[in-house]
RNA sequence: GCCCUGGUAGUGUAGUGGCCCAUCAUGUGGCCCUGUCGAGGCCACGACUCGGGUUCAAAUCCCGGCCGGGGCGCCA
């Protein structure tokens, strides 16, 4: 019978003396039955340990043990025996084996099968999919990245905030919002914390950041969009220009990626990923120069020239080849392209341009940000030009009437950050339970 | 929203008018095997997304439904 001995991790058993008794537990990954001897491969979060059972010692129990279905949860108590024939350098000679949870057969998705599964099958059985080490490693690394980001913001004296995810109106005009029933009233899931961040600048918080879900009811079907994603937003006051925001953004990326490399190099090795930490300052290329570069590269446009998806990829390769970096800012977005972003500040000396920028990472948009318009009259003017009803923004606009500092900030797609950092083919790989146009469960 | 593409055993696939009561692998079940680690050997089990149509004949062609994958627009 299992004793009251405490269960230890597979990797902690490495430290035990040869012959020590211990208790380990995990999922029975596979049984290698050779007839008179069988090897059980048991997996916990940290590794895979081996249990050796002999038929001549166990008799009928042997047949029972080797027939435990794969992926059942078992607890093994026994003696540690060192060996150079297993990955962890030891194996367990069991005294008792307890089945805590017998797995049904067949598995809807093999954990260590030699055949791949399609994404649909994998996400329908995500808990099984995540039993694979490389899938779980993605989320260990995602957590390290988050820790690195929070570490940066703490050092820079930002306050982590939480703003409402249900609101009466959308933050930005034109965006597609999910409608919900709020005690009989129409309400919408937040697609950005933008307006709240700005109101907190008016409240005197000076530096805030939020890491929270955002919702977009757009009909996209791509490898870089989901309907629910985690948005990292920061906002800072008393800036001189959007240069201050870009500088902060660059150092944020530099610090967080450096943090991942410093704390999780073993995990990166498991995935075979090498991370480039951007050199500060990150290269800035004005939007109009991007278009010139693209033209030189032979790109043509059917309509108004812009940095479209193809252009982003081309520019990503261009900076990689010419400047040996995976990062660059596209700056000075034309006002025409940012028309819906009513809070974007236009350049005083060149109103056809905004202070807005994107940060591109490996040829994909990662960050969007800039200096916000803090002058009440200018802001409301831009909103009127867009045809917005000022009344529905009453609470937002009020915060601009009684002392609003200059400010700016960014929004970063955390899932995209993970995707690009780890070279994941699809953004969904870095999301535990993704939501897209067709998937609402699990 | 527009465009492309797909749906065959639990899983992944081959087959694109008759050679198919459907290939291979993996899995599952059984038997053999005392050092396996992509274990090996032998045997067995298990499938054409749904509805309609064309045809002597449909997994295969056509129409529609349902469910996926991807591109663009847009965006993080």
């Amino acid at each position: 019978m299992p004793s009251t001995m405490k269960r230890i991790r597979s990797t902690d058993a490495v430290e035990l003396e040869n012959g020590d008794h211990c208790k380990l537990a995990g999922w029975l990954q596979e049984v290698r039955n050779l007839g008179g001897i069988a090897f059980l491969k048991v997996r916990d979060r940290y590794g895979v340990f081996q249990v050796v059972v002999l038929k001549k010692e166990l008799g009928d129990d042997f047949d029972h043990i080797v027939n435990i279905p794969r992926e059942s949860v078992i607890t093994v108590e026994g003696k540690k025996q060192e060996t150079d024939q297993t990955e962890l350098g030891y194996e367990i000679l069991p005294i008792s084996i307890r089945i805590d949870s017998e797995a049904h057969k067949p598995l809807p998705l093999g954990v260590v099968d030699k055949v791949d599964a399609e994404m649909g099958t994998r996400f329908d059985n995500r808990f099984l999919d995540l039993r694979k080490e490389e899938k779980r490693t993605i989320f260990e690394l995602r957590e390290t990245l988050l820790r690195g980001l929070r570490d940066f913001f703490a050092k820079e004296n930002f306050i982590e905030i939480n703003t409402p995810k249900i609101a009466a109106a959308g933050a930005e005009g034109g965006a597609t919002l999910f409608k919900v029933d709020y005690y009989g009233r129409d309400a919408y899931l937040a697609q950005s914390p933008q307006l709240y961040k700005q109101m907190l600048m008016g409240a005197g918080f000076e530096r805030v950041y939020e890491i929270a879900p955002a919702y977009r009811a757009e009909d996209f079907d791509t490898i870089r969009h989901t309907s629910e994603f985690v948005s990292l937003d920061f906002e800072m006051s008393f800036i001189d220009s959007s240069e201050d925001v870009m500088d902060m953004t660059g150092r944020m990326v530099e610090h967080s990626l450096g943090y991942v490399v410093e704390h999780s190099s073993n995990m990166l090795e498991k995935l075979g990923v090498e991370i480039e930490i951007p050199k500060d300052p990150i290269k800035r290329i004005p939007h109009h120069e991007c278009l010139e570069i693209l033209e030189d590269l032979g790109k043509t446009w059917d309509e108004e020239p812009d940095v479209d998806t193809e252009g982003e990829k081309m520019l990503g390769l261009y900076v990689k080849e010419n400047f040996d970096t995976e990062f660059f800012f596209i700056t000075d977005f034309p006002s025409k392209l940012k028309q819906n972003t009513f809070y974007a500040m236009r350049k005083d000396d060149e109103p056809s341009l905004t202070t807005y920028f994107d940060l591109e990472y490996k040829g994909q948009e990662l960050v969007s940000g800039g200096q916000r318009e803090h002058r009440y009259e200018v802001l409301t003017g831009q909103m009127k030009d867009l045809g917005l009803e000022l009344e529905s923004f009453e609470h937002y606009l009020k915060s601009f009437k009684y002392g609003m500092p200059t400010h700016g900030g960014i929004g970063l797609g955390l899932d995209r950050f993970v995707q690009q950092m780890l070279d994941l083919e699809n953004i969904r790989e870095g999301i535990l339970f993704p939501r897209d146009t067709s998937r609402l469960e699990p």
Side-chain angles (χ1 to χ4, degrees):
Chain A
M1 284 300 288
S3 67
T4 55
M5 184 185 277
K6 216 160 168 49
R7 171 253 170 177
I8 61 170
R9 303 168 180 177
S10 60
T11 43
D12 287 347
V14 174
E15 310 301 325
L16 299 176
E17 297 294 319
N18 200 24
D20 278 357
H21 283 239
C22 58
K23 180 152 95 177
L24 298 168
W27 288 262
L28 180 60
Q29 187 164 286
E30 60 176 327
V31 177
R32 294 171 175 277
N33 181 7
L34 274 64
I37 188 171
F39 303 94
L40 314 184
K41 297 290 187 183
V42 187
R43 178 192 67 250
D44 64 15
R45 172 176 159 189
Y46 307 94
V48 178
F49 61 93
Q50 175 165 286
V51 180
V52 190
V53 289
L54 291 169
K55 188 166 195 167
K56 71 173 183 206
E57 284 180 12
L58 293 169
D60 289 348
D61 282 347
F62 180 90
D63 295 326
H64 182 58
I65 289 165
V66 298
N67 280 312
I68 300 171
R70 296 193 307 166
E71 294 303 322
S72 298
V73 175
I74 64 173
T75 298
V76 181
E77 235 177 281
K79 202 167 75 174
K80 175 193 174 178
Q81 175 171 280
E82 286 171 357
T83 170
D84 56 6
Q85 292 191 69
T86 67
E87 205 174 316
L88 290 170
Y90 72 87
E91 59 196 10
I92 300 296
L93 306 176
I95 295 160
S96 75
I97 294 177
R98 186 182 72 201
I99 303 170
D100 298 311
S101 171
E102 186 171 312
H104 290 219
K105 286 186 292 194
L107 296 167
L109 175 71
V111 176
V112 289
D113 283 10
K114 297 159 197 80
V115 291
D116 290 330
E118 283 193 338
M119 251 190 6
T121 309
R122 288 178 42 217
F123 282 106
D124 283 342
N125 302 280
R126 187 59 156 156
F127 71 96
L128 273 175
D129 185 47
L130 291 169
R131 288 186 188 178
K132 300 168 192 162
E133 188 189 24
E134 75 269 22
K135 308 296 180 207
R136 235 170 327 118
T137 302
I138 293 169
F139 293 94
E140 303 246 16
L141 284 162
R142 181 180 163 118
E143 190 275 337
T144 313
L145 179 67
L146 269 169
R147 215 157 7 108
L149 287 162
R150 287 204 163 93
D151 186 60
F152 173 79
F153 286 120
K155 284 187 164 72
E156 292 286 344
N157 218 25
F158 278 77
I159 302 172
E160 180 163 11
I161 55 165
N162 296 104
T163 63
K165 298 306 151 205
I166 307 177
E172 296 175 35
T176 22
L177 298 159
F178 287 107
K179 195 170 172 181
V180 296
D181 175 44
Y182 194 74
Y183 304 110
R185 295 157 66 192
D186 285 348
Y188 302 91
L189 296 182
Q191 44 98 268
S192 162
Q194 183 59 32
L195 304 189
Y196 292 100
K197 279 193 305 178
Q198 292 191 262
M199 288 161 78
L200 292 170
M201 294 300 97
F205 278 43
E206 297 202 14
R207 290 183 168 194
V208 300
Y209 77 101
E210 176 165 18
I211 300 171
Y215 303 89
R216 307 258 166 107
E218 307 233 21
D219 258 334
F220 31 47
D221 189 10
T222 77
I223 55 170
R224 62 184 187 283
H225 289 95
T226 51
S227 306
E228 178 181 63
F229 65 98
V230 173
S231 183
L232 181 153
D233 291 82
F234 77 68
E235 202 73 22
M236 54 197 282
S237 288
F238 301 114
I239 59 171
D240 292 323
S241 73
S242 55
E243 276 298 319
D244 292 341
V245 183
M246 278 189 268
D247 175 66
M248 186 67 76
T249 303
R251 288 190 292 116
M252 172 191 79
V253 171
E254 183 183 351
H255 181 87
S256 55
L257 288 179
Y259 191 95
V260 172
V261 170
E262 186 185 340
H263 291 87
S264 296
S265 56
N266 56 330
M267 300 271 178
L268 291 172
E269 266 171 47
K270 275 185 197 171
L271 296 183
V273 172
E274 273 188 48
I275 292 179
E276 180 209 319
I277 300 165
K279 305 164 203 75
D280 190 52
I282 292 174
K283 181 151 191 70
R284 276 94 156 133
I285 309 177
H287 190 270
H288 68 88
E289 270 183 43
C290 287
L291 298 182
E292 287 166 18
I293 293 167
L294 289 173
E295 260 183 22
D296 288 347
L297 292 171
K299 183 169 168 59
T300 54
W301 290 270
D302 292 336
E303 295 168 20
E304 181 80 18
D306 188 17
V307 182
D308 52 22
T309 305
E310 184 194 40
E312 280 186 274
K313 289 172 186 162
M314 290 167 76
L315 288 168
L317 292 172
Y318 173 83
V319 296
K320 183 76 190 162
E321 280 171 22
N322 290 278
F323 305 102
D324 191 31
T325 178
E326 294 167 339
F327 298 88
F328 70 100
F329 284 108
I330 304 175
T331 66
D332 303 311
F333 268 78
S335 302
K336 212 194 305 186
L337 296 176
K338 288 290 177 187
Q339 256 171 358
N340 289 329
T341 314
F342 59 80
Y343 45 82
M345 182 180 270
R346 271 68 165 159
K347 292 200 150 182
D348 279 343
D349 53 347
E350 182 55 74
S352 68
L353 299 178
T354 66
T355 63
Y356 264 54
F357 60 83
D358 281 357
L359 175 62
E360 295 279 323
Y361 182 18
K362 297 183 185 174
Q364 183 170 299
E365 182 178 343
L366 175 68
V367 167
S368 222
Q371 179 165 8
R372 324 295 190 191
E373 182 51 70
H374 65 284
R375 296 163 294 188
Y376 180 80
E377 283 73 21
V378 182
L379 178 62
T380 49
Q382 290 182 173
M383 293 172 80
K384 281 181 201 154
D385 289 348
L386 246 186
L388 295 174
E389 306 253 346
L390 297 190
E391 297 76 50
S392 51
F393 291 89
E394 179 195 347
H395 294 281
Y396 168 67
L397 287 173
K398 216 182 340 181
S399 68
F400 287 77
K401 284 164 74 173
Y402 306 99
M404 175 63 86
T406 59
H407 64 279
I410 61 136
L412 174 149
L414 184 74
D415 314 290
R416 276 194 191 174
F417 202 4
V418 173
Q419 179 190 8
Q420 296 302 76
M421 175 177 83
L422 301 179
D423 296 322
L424 305 177
E425 273 185 25
N426 192 309
I427 194 170
R428 295 164 179 81
E429 298 284 355
I431 300 174
L432 289 170
F433 299 102
R435 288 288 174 269
D436 57 38
T437 54
S438 58
R439 182 167 292 278
L440 190 51
E441 57 184 357

